[in-house]
Amino acid sequence: MAWSYSRQVKTELVHQPLAAIPWIWTELWGLAGTTHMPEAGSRWIVTGSALVARRAYRLLKQVDFHPAVRVRREGHRLRFELWVGDGSPPDWDTYLADCAPAYIRGAFLARGYVADHERPAHWEVTATQKEAAEGLLWALAQEKVAARMTERRRLTVIYLKDRQQIARVLGIMGAHQAMLTLESQDVVRQMKNQVNRLVNSETANLKRAINAGLNDRERLEEWRVTRGFGQLPVDLMPLAELRWRHPEWTLAELGRHLSPPVSKSVVNHRLRRLRQWLDHQQ
């Protein structure tokens, strides 16, 4: 079974190289999804992804926070709990202003979702604490991303619906391959829409041209039967005969078959004169 786009994004993110210590702490606070200081020997990070748990473990080891991993089953799913040992992390907002992308990445890895690039655009992160959600909203604003916040089932949700903004967030977090996939899909979608518009426009133009040609032929047939083409103005007679014989031809085709050949604008002008002349003869 193919991986979802959201899982592909997270897989790319967990393989990002570890950065400097301030960035590590900021990402850990994003993963934790809380603003409460952890006590020694307490559970701090919980995730249902082994990949995310592995990254959190590496980050905790990097800052000497002595982590331990515990796995428990919830129905058919496994939950990975990271318990911390001795240590004292900096306050959750200490590095937030300078390391906002790390906080966004951590929050998304732990509780985020992005819709498949072929579906309507949607990116979100859920939070159980309002203060942590507001911190994420602030971190996104620092990166010039205007996200929105709402409440869903007693959880606070930060979300985006704009494809360009979502692509920007993917790049900010470090998921550059996923960002390119999303942007290339947008290019394909725009090209399809443009082709459809052109086809619809050409179809409509062709319909109008055929209807005009058939209407002209009907009027010319009536004139031919009752009076004959010899009664038409001399300069309009060749065009009238061509229009009667080939109502499906375009203006360019009519112009090419006149002697001497003339342009589309000349044909259009003569047809307009022919119609006006026929109107006056009624």
Short mmCIF file of all heavy atoms in Angstrom, two decimals, residues 5 18 198:
data_model
loop_
_atom_site.label_atom_id
_atom_site.label_comp_id
_atom_site.label_asym_id
_atom_site.label_seq_id
_atom_site.Cartn_x
_atom_site.Cartn_y
_atom_site.Cartn_z
N TYR A 5 0.58 11.11 1.44
CA TYR A 5 1.45 12.27 1.23
C TYR A 5 1.92 12.82 2.57
O TYR A 5 3.09 13.21 2.71
CB TYR A 5 0.69 13.33 0.45
CG TYR A 5 1.48 14.57 0.14
CD1 TYR A 5 2.64 14.51 -0.63
CD2 TYR A 5 1.08 15.82 0.61
CE1 TYR A 5 3.37 15.66 -0.91
CE2 TYR A 5 1.80 16.97 0.33
CZ TYR A 5 2.93 16.88 -0.44
OH TYR A 5 3.66 18.01 -0.72
N LEU A 18 20.49 17.00 12.38
CA LEU A 18 20.31 17.73 13.64
C LEU A 18 21.05 19.05 13.58
O LEU A 18 22.19 19.12 13.10
CB LEU A 18 20.82 16.88 14.81
CG LEU A 18 20.17 15.50 14.98
CD1 LEU A 18 20.64 14.86 16.27
CD2 LEU A 18 18.66 15.60 14.95
N LEU A 198 -9.11 26.78 -23.07
CA LEU A 198 -8.88 26.99 -24.50
C LEU A 198 -9.80 26.11 -25.34
O LEU A 198 -10.37 26.56 -26.34
CB LEU A 198 -7.42 26.70 -24.84
CG LEU A 198 -6.39 27.71 -24.34
CD1 LEU A 198 -4.97 27.21 -24.59
CD2 LEU A 198 -6.59 29.06 -25.03
#
